[in-house]
Amino acid sequence: MSGIKMRIIFVALLLIPLIGILTNRNTAINSLEAQVIGGEELSEMERQIVDEINRARISPNEFLAVLEEIRPHFNGKMIELPGEYKYMTREGVAALDEAVKYIKASRPTIPMTVARGLHKSAKDHVADQQNNPSISFNSSDGTTPDQRMAKYGTYKEPLGENIGYGALTARGVVALFILSDGFPKRDLRVNLFNPKYRKMGVACGKHKVYANYCVVDFAGNYTEKMAQ
């Protein structure tokens, strides 16, 4: 990708059909430049993901309670969360233990603001992949994440992308990123808490195989293209 160093990560979940009524466990939202960006309104799910990510960055210890809520729902390597999702982890509770240790040692970092161009680049990938049964950060035509981000503006490195499949709530998406199950270097979590990232864009949609699908694009900085 033209020598650009990127941390592009995706989550693949083995989903099991849910039974029962789905509930939203998200807390009240105090939005941080999330609702309207450049005249484009984010969906409720997208707005909540922005807020949950920034909440985790500003006050990581607040997420300890969220992580501990997951613990009793492990059945071996299977997580079965009421009203959320069920999936088979690779590491089981070991990933949770490591995440708790990480969060306890974490210091607050600055929140990110939403860049319209990064929202649009993430949205493009959601639209491209929603009927694609494979898991990929490249578009079906071969377009790479950095190329998608450059379509709508000028970015400053570092760049990164997290993709979450299957989670039904914003808090579920962010919890998966913090667990970073199956990634020895915990890349999803590194992206989430990287203080060098100042801009992000979020887009979610329905997926043919995994039900829900969310893309989060990160950049050190981002300048929107001037309207023609």
Side-chain angles (χ1 to χ4, degrees), residues 1 10 17 46 66 87 95 99 120 154 188 202 205 214 226:
M1 289 182 281
F10 50 86
E46 293 161 356
V66 177
Y87 75 97
K120 294 178 74 173
T154 302
L188 298 168
V202 180
C214 293
M226 297 290 291

Side-chain angles (χ1 to χ4, degrees), residues 13-17 129-135 165-166 206-213:
L13 304 181
L14 176 61
L15 297 180
I16 296 176
Q129 294 289 299
Q130 63 184 355
N131 293 316
N132 189 345
S134 64
I135 296 171
Y165 296 82
K206 297 298 181 181
H207 193 271
K208 181 178 181 180
V209 177
Y210 301 104
N212 291 315
Y213 174 66

